[in-house]
Amino acid sequence: MLVIAITSCNATKRVGEDELLLTKNLLYADSVKVTDDDIHSLIFQKPNSTLLGYPLRLNLYNLAKKNPDSSYQVWLHKKEKREQRLINILSKKQVERLGESFLVKGASVWLKNIGEPPTIIDTSRTRRSLQRLNAYYKSKGYFNNNTTYTIDSTNKKQRAIINYKLDLGNPYLVDSISTKITSSALDSIHKAYKKNSFIKPGQRIDLDNFNNERERLTNLFRNTGIHNFQESSISYDLIGDTTKLGSNQKLDILLNIEDLKTRTDNALSTSKYKVHSFKKINIYTNYTFDNGLDSVNKLDYKDFTIYYQGKLRYKPKTLTDAVFLKKDSIYREIDRIRTYRQITNLNTFKYPNIEFVEDSVAAKLTANIYLSPRPKYSLGTDFDVTHSNIQFLGIAFSPSLQARNLFKGAENLSLSGRISVGASSDPDIVDNRFFNILETGGDINLNLPRIWFPFVKTSRIIPNYMLPKTKLSIGTSFQQNIGLDKQTFNTVFGYNWSPSDFKKNTLELLNVQFVRNVNPNRFFTVYQNTYENLDEIADNYENEPALSDFYETAEGSTDPQLIIPEGTTGFTNAILNGEVASSTSDYDDISSIEERRIRLTENNLIFASNFTYNKNNKKGITDDDFYQFRFKLESAGNLLSGISNIIPFDKSDDDKLLVFGVPYSQYIKTEFDFIKHWSSSGTNVLAFRSFFGIAIPYGNSDNIPFVRSYFAGGSNDNRAWLPYSLGPGRTEDVNDFNEANLKIAFNLEYRFPLVGDIKGAIFADAGNIWNAFDNVTDEKANFENLGSLADIALGTGLGIRYDFTYFVFRLDMGLKTYNPAEESSKRWFRDYNLSNAVFNIGINYPF
């Protein structure tokens, strides 16, 4: 940035003597400054884009040579023998190619491509902007507005500001509303729903209201039997004098709805709109147009006729439940849309085709629904190559088999497996082979396109148009030579349904997870920070005769260390059992370490139920002005606790109930997640996220399982800290993986374009994790009261992203702005320097 600023500080380098560089557009309506981005977007000429007030792209453009070809020739012939010397060294052909090289020509072309030419004021485009502004304010009822502009170039040489000035005058208002509807059916429908109109007497004339009303009437008619209604049939007449000036400026509105227009080869004909109802509904499961109806079989089921070839492979009820068009009912557009969605949701057919055939005499419709089946079986494979701080190379292969329409009710079964191998140089892994990490696993998933619950007719509670699904899954995985070598088993039985495109509900009646640690004796080998804390305490007791067998001195060292696992276990037991006298602080620290070791090495059994509600108003992937809200409530252990009242369970030494020899977890957990995006200045976006989550143990548990706890830091959280390195509270790096059961987080990020597909960001991340209502006694890690909010950490930084259209590659640099782990007087900007920056790589935006 400094080099660019020095070498091209003159932004008017490419501005001619008789030209002016546009630096700002100012817009005033009745002397009031207009800041609305939508109105400013009507102006044709925009000033050059800036990055934090600096015209980066303009100066990149100015760095390029204006005529690199001629500049090269001038340089080449500036000295009489230069060209010949180059020819002798390179050859004539290479000297010619040098003029086309990146250093001579390509760099200038590249700088021009990523740069931005200066915006020279063009008065013809300024006048076109006035025309746009005039038309816009007319659409808002200011029919007699007057627009002018002035160019202010008095402050800086070759730079100017354009002032757009609008004298709006008084707006025109709606006086009376009348209708001229030629179809009696439309007239009756319009009168029945007239109160919902967007146009009302006394309103200011606004084109948006007319467009909204036209859209409302179109949807209304198409959902009250008029299947072929054309939006172009609606028009408005404004009756009155639009040149009148004064305070009493009112217009009468006439709503016109014409007849249906049908174009044929020879002429344009008109006909009255009619309310249509369904006479017949046909479903073709695998019909081909080439064979016709003679080669298919027919089945009448309820009010539907199902056509099929050979043997019917689907239960009739499955097909008819996906169709919302009903015999003798009127046509509704919403029923057609829901039919498309539900048939697609079955995941058994390709996108359906629905045809409506109109009776030429009666106002009746025949609906023909054509379905094209997907293959019953399909194979798939996934191949992944990964890299992380644990393994420098990982290769995974995941084959899958999908069986559709398994029981003729559009049930879909998928079998998937996964095998991955990794290469790690971790000295704690004793396997010397190149690929020394192994993970295998498999999953079985069964999806039903309905809510399945025995003896309950759930369609009355959750209708089919909400795209209900039942999910049953079982999975397991085995992990070797990493961490404690885990084996996991999980099963889920749950439902999801979507009342609309913007709402989704997920209910898991049963979510079971069993985690078995195969090598718990490796705890201190894996969690090195915890081991170092224990070994540092043990240095104070190395001369105790009763503890001598627990130490060893490595070759080349004079410092004895605890032996893993015999020494760590023996030393801990000796202190906690009172076999060796210790200080109170050492006893408390060792007790805390031992509690954490037990918690992280014990096997976990989680029987949970949860409900998740998601809501958003995002209209598409390009929508940058939206919000998202997620709420989750989870409860674990209550089912087993209830069963224990009927069936006696075994108990552990600390009086915890055991299932299959494992103490089951019991807790309640809730989460709130809110995201809001504001779009400004075209492609600039301000993004905000807030998160609150807490898990409270009770009953059979005094802590939360590691897999259900919270952590802070990382590329999608507080980017000034590495994952698991922030908190809890005002502690710092107590353990290798810091986690807790309470989390608060806030993120604010401003995103803006830089050059082409390269975008930038400025962000601030705040938050932390704490322990609450569990067995952790460290006051630094606990959330005691509102005063603990002073432990919220703050990280700020910069980010750069490259937009590949389908995904975004992200690099963020975070700096610790406020670190609660430091002393009170040293918390602000203590590590605010590049050497302590944390770099995070991510895919897509963090929120």
Side-chain angles (χ1 to χ4, degrees), residues 451-604:
I451 300 296
W452 178 81
F453 196 86
F455 314 114
V456 178
K457 193 172 183 179
T458 57
S459 59
R460 295 179 180 177
I461 306 171
I462 302 175
N464 290 334
Y465 72 82
M466 293 186 181
L467 308 182
K469 279 188 177 181
T470 300
K471 177 184 178 182
L472 296 97
S473 69
I474 298 175
T476 185
S477 65
F478 303 88
Q479 190 183 79
Q480 259 185 297
N481 286 351
I482 182 172
L484 305 180
D485 287 355
K486 294 183 182 293
Q487 294 182 359
T488 63
F489 170 83
N490 57 79
T491 183
V492 174
F493 171 49
Y495 315 106
N496 63 69
W497 66 96
S498 302
S500 70
D501 291 338
F502 305 108
K503 298 178 183 178
K504 183 177 180 180
N505 300 285
T506 301
L507 173 63
E508 292 183 346
L509 289 181
L510 190 63
N511 185 318
V512 180
Q513 186 173 17
F514 173 68
V515 180
R516 175 174 174 260
N517 295 295
V518 180
N519 293 311
N521 288 335
R522 291 176 55 188
F523 174 81
F524 287 107
T525 303
V526 174
Y527 295 90
Q528 281 290 312
N529 281 357
T530 306
Y531 171 75
E532 290 171 4
N533 292 337
L534 182 65
D535 187 64
E536 184 177 349
I537 298 172
D539 288 344
N540 301 325
Y541 303 89
E542 62 185 37
N543 295 323
E544 290 286 342
L547 304 178
S548 59
D549 293 338
F550 301 147
Y551 296 85
E552 67 176 1
T553 304
E555 185 178 348
S557 173
T558 60
D559 181 25
Q561 292 181 312
L562 288 175
I563 303 170
I564 302 175
E566 297 87 355
T568 53
T569 302
F571 173 75
T572 301
N573 290 337
I575 298 295
L576 298 181
N577 293 334
E579 298 172 9
V580 174
S582 64
S583 66
T584 302
S585 61
D586 286 349
Y587 183 92
D588 291 341
D589 290 341
I590 294 171
S591 178
S592 177
I593 290 173
E594 180 63 8
E595 286 177 357
R596 174 175 168 80
R597 185 195 68 81
I598 293 173
R599 187 164 75 86
L600 295 185
T601 58
E602 70 179 358
N603 300 330
N604 297 129

Side-chain angles (χ1 to χ4, degrees), residues 184-199:
S184 58
L186 295 186
D187 190 43
S188 299
I189 297 171
H190 176 264
K191 288 178 179 177
Y193 296 91
K194 185 177 180 180
K195 64 180 180 179
N196 298 326
S197 175
F198 285 93
I199 305 173

Side-chain angles (χ1 to χ4, degrees), residues 713-714 717-722 725 763 765 794-796 813-817 836-838 840:
D717 193 67
N718 197 319
R719 286 161 280 186
W721 277 263
L722 293 172
S725 66
F763 60 83
D765 300 326
L794 174 64
T796 56
M813 180 190 72
L815 296 167
K816 295 179 177 64
T817 308
N836 290 311
V838 175
N840 291 282

Side-chain angles (χ1 to χ4, degrees), residues 496-742:
N496 63 69
W497 66 96
S498 302
S500 70
D501 291 338
F502 305 108
K503 298 178 183 178
K504 183 177 180 180
N505 300 285
T506 301
L507 173 63
E508 292 183 346
L509 289 181
L510 190 63
N511 185 318
V512 180
Q513 186 173 17
F514 173 68
V515 180
R516 175 174 174 260
N517 295 295
V518 180
N519 293 311
N521 288 335
R522 291 176 55 188
F523 174 81
F524 287 107
T525 303
V526 174
Y527 295 90
Q528 281 290 312
N529 281 357
T530 306
Y531 171 75
E532 290 171 4
N533 292 337
L534 182 65
D535 187 64
E536 184 177 349
I537 298 172
D539 288 344
N540 301 325
Y541 303 89
E542 62 185 37
N543 295 323
E544 290 286 342
L547 304 178
S548 59
D549 293 338
F550 301 147
Y551 296 85
E552 67 176 1
T553 304
E555 185 178 348
S557 173
T558 60
D559 181 25
Q561 292 181 312
L562 288 175
I563 303 170
I564 302 175
E566 297 87 355
T568 53
T569 302
F571 173 75
T572 301
N573 290 337
I575 298 295
L576 298 181
N577 293 334
E579 298 172 9
V580 174
S582 64
S583 66
T584 302
S585 61
D586 286 349
Y587 183 92
D588 291 341
D589 290 341
I590 294 171
S591 178
S592 177
I593 290 173
E594 180 63 8
E595 286 177 357
R596 174 175 168 80
R597 185 195 68 81
I598 293 173
R599 187 164 75 86
L600 295 185
T601 58
E602 70 179 358
N603 300 330
N604 297 129
L605 178 62
I606 305 171
F607 266 74
S609 299
N610 62 71
F611 171 74
T612 304
Y613 172 75
N614 287 278
K615 183 180 179 181
N616 73 83
N617 66 344
K618 191 172 186 178
K619 298 177 181 178
I621 59 175
T622 58
D623 187 2
D624 288 327
D625 200 338
F626 67 93
Y627 73 85
Q628 290 179 192
F629 173 73
R630 182 181 67 87
F631 165 73
K632 183 176 182 178
L633 180 65
E634 179 172 290
S635 176
N638 292 333
L639 176 62
L640 294 178
S641 180
I643 295 175
S644 68
N645 294 324
I646 303 172
I647 303 173
F649 291 166
D650 293 334
K651 290 188 176 182
S652 64
D653 295 337
D654 54 356
D655 208 33
K656 291 185 178 180
L657 298 177
L658 304 176
V659 177
F660 305 120
V662 178
Y664 64 84
S665 299
Q666 193 168 9
Y667 61 85
I668 188 167
K669 181 179 182 180
T670 187
E671 295 178 352
F672 297 88
D673 194 357
F674 178 75
I675 295 173
K676 180 73 174 84
H677 286 201
W678 294 271
S679 177
S680 64
S681 303
T683 55
N684 293 4
V685 175
L686 181 65
F688 168 77
R689 180 189 182 189
S690 61
F691 177 88
F692 173 82
I694 185 171
I696 302 175
Y698 66 96
N700 207 50
S701 297
D702 54 13
N703 58 68
I704 301 300
F706 184 84
V707 293
R708 291 293 201 271
S709 58
Y710 297 110
F711 72 92
S715 61
N716 294 326
D717 193 67
N718 197 319
R719 286 161 280 186
W721 277 263
L722 293 172
Y724 293 98
S725 66
L726 173 59
R730 55 184 181 275
T731 62
E732 182 178 23
D733 293 333
V734 174
N735 305 299
D736 302 80
F737 299 94
N738 295 306
E739 42 76 40
N741 64 324
L742 169 63

